[in-house]
Amino acid sequence: MPNAIKAKIANPKSADREKMAGLFDQQADIYLDARPTYPLQWYSMLAARTLHRSLAWDVDTGNGQAAIGVAEHYEQVIGTDVSEAQLQHAIPHPKVKYLYTPLSISDEELLSSIGGENSVDLITVAQAVHWFDLPKFYSLVTRLLRKPGGIVAVWCYNDIAVNPTFDPVMKRFHDTTLPDWNPNIQYVFDGYKCWFGI
């Protein structure tokens, strides 16, 4: 993908980010049931790679699918999202605190809400980094992440294989509706390779 296009999508204009922020509000009540979960071994592997397990930040948590998995290994998880509607349907867990973080929140407010500089052991982004203003996000990560030993884990899923009857139907749906999707979704289909130089 040309660098100019990559830069535009990686650093969307404010109006574009506002539109993206409410993208999943209307279906927030069914979002949890429609999203796949992630393997429990994934969270165990992430926990094994961090030196401390005090605090994790799940960015764009949606309704908490990843936050709940992370909470099995960390003392506290802060799940943040720009969608109040998503957070209203968040999965309750005694170790997870959900915070609404509108696009208007300042970096200082966000840092303070999460735990301050050099406080976070694990930062997770599940199926969401393609919506971010990356320079702003990386700046926050640099300040929040505990040094040494903190890690950032970013992941996505692509086509889901269910069975030989369902899979062709899903592929046809995917192929025919793709032109109507937000262009940022292409990064997911590429496995974020173009963002991370893979």
Side-chain angles (χ1 to χ4, degrees), residues 31 35-43 58 60-61 64-67 69 125-128 155-157:
Y31 191 78
R35 288 284 305 272
T37 56
Y38 307 105
L40 297 178
Q41 301 89 326
W42 176 246
Y43 303 111
D58 186 38
D60 267 13
T61 194
Q65 294 93 337
V125 185
Q127 194 74 10
W155 68 91
C156 63
Y157 56 85

Side-chain angles (χ1 to χ4, degrees), residues 8 10 69 88 97 125 138 197:
K8 180 180 179 193
Q88 288 170 0
K97 177 181 176 183
V125 185
Y138 291 147

Side-chain angles (χ1 to χ4, degrees), residues 64-99:
Q65 294 93 337
I68 298 303
V70 171
E72 296 306 313
H73 302 278
Y74 291 81
E75 292 173 26
Q76 182 179 19
V77 178
I78 306 291
T80 61
D81 207 283
V82 297
S83 169
E84 281 185 288
Q86 286 288 334
L87 293 174
Q88 288 170 0
H89 296 280
I91 306 162
H93 191 286
K95 292 184 180 179
V96 180
K97 177 181 176 183
Y98 294 107
L99 297 174

